[in-house]
Amino acid sequence: MITLRNFNENDIEVLKRMSPSKTENEISLMLNKWNKREFNGKYSETFAICKEDTVVGCIFLYQHNEYIISAGPEIFEEYRCKGYAYEAMRQAYDYAKKSGYKIATAQIRKNNIASIRLHEKLGFILDCEMLNKRGNEIFIYIKLL
């Protein structure tokens, strides 16, 4: 069983792992930004994915508009393939649904088979394929919450 919680100052060592080039002060500033739960004028929240007392990764929620949200998990390499991303996504989208969001969307690179499988397991369906701003071939997946 995993749980989601907000990151705090006690997680600086874990966060250094995610951003090894950042200083502790830069990580503290990043935490302060995350705790505002806003990015570019929209709702955004970052959670630690925990297995008991161990942080195994993180997940970001980002609002696209009043009804649409997306989530992006990152599981640390040694904890992958254990179902943590699936459970974290399920919990994050349950939280988003309770917060009033109706649709989840995901932009996935065509060659990211693991993410495609994860989203399909969560009930997402393929909406379209396109090139993103960076010129990458991507799929757009959607799901009703």
Side-chain angles (χ1 to χ4, degrees), residues 12 15-16 19 22-31:
I12 287 181
L15 294 169
K16 279 173 118 177
S19 302
K22 291 190 182 207
T23 66
E24 285 189 20
N25 189 47
E26 289 171 323
I27 290 172
S28 287
L29 292 172
M30 182 175 71
L31 275 173

Side-chain angles (χ1 to χ4, degrees), residues 45-94:
E45 193 163 0
T46 306
F47 299 96
I49 302 170
C50 301
K51 172 73 174 164
E52 297 167 4
D53 292 332
T54 302
V55 177
V56 300
C58 65
I59 189 164
F60 306 91
L61 280 176
Y62 180 74
Q63 174 190 39
H64 294 269
N65 64 36
E66 186 178 348
Y67 300 104
I68 300 174
I69 197 156
S70 61
E74 180 183 339
I75 304 297
F76 301 139
E77 193 168 343
E78 68 269 27
Y79 300 111
R80 292 180 183 163
C81 300
K82 298 179 188 301
Y84 298 148
Y86 173 82
E87 184 59 27
M89 294 277 283
R90 193 188 62 70
Q91 288 183 34
Y93 282 127
D94 284 348

